[in-house]
Amino acid sequence: VQLVESGGGLVQPGGSLRLSCVVSGVIFDDYAMSWVRQAPGKGLEWVSAINWNGIDTHYASAVRGRFTISRDNAKNTLYLQIDSLKFEDAAAYYCVTHAGSAYLYGMDLWGQGTQVAVST
């Protein structure tokens, strides 16, 4: 099983990024997915989740209204559109499978992460 994130980079405050995560080795649309981030020197922070068919989405309060999670099951790919970036969004972003089709299943498999940096 592989989860490969991409799309991170250095962005100015107020800017946008689109993160991607390509999943292989599992039947992608069997699983809910999440994005989790970790800022330097801090613990893991759950960001957003999406159920197997993309209909139900959930967001942490810190990102609601600025981040949009989506998925393309035909491409085995998870996305995170990040808009109106803030300094506090700087972190390593990880895509994670859940152990089932819904968000309520526990997190299971993790990618290696993609780094988002925010600077003027």
Side-chain angles (χ1 to χ4, degrees):
V1 178
Q2 277 195 312
L3 293 81
V4 181
E5 301 95 333
S6 62
L10 176 62
V11 185
Q12 291 186 339
S16 296
L17 278 176
R18 189 192 197 199
L19 307 184
S20 299
C21 173
V22 178
V23 181
S24 60
V26 295
I27 301 173
F28 181 63
D29 54 5
D30 276 354
Y31 299 101
M33 299 291 297
S34 274
W35 287 98
V36 176
R37 69 185 180 184
Q38 186 170 29
K42 297 190 176 182
L44 294 170
E45 178 188 18
W46 171 80
V47 172
S48 182
I50 188 167
N51 76 333
W52 70 277
N53 62 5
I55 293 176
D56 291 330
T57 58
H58 306 269
Y59 298 93
S61 57
V63 307
R64 190 174 294 117
R66 300 187 299 117
F67 289 19
T68 304
I69 191 171
S70 62
R71 64 192 295 161
D72 185 337
N73 287 347
K75 296 181 178 179
N76 287 2
T77 303
L78 175 72
Y79 302 101
L80 185 68
Q81 177 69 38
I82 303 176
D83 297 316
S84 303
L85 269 161
K86 301 179 179 181
F87 287 113
E88 53 264 42
D89 294 323
Y93 283 74
Y94 300 92
C95 73
V96 187
T97 70
H98 287 258
S101 59
Y103 161 69
L104 293 179
Y105 289 95
M107 295 185 192
D108 189 11
L109 303 172
W110 294 66
Q112 86 290 346
T114 187
Q115 193 70 39
V116 173
V118 184
S119 180
T120 56

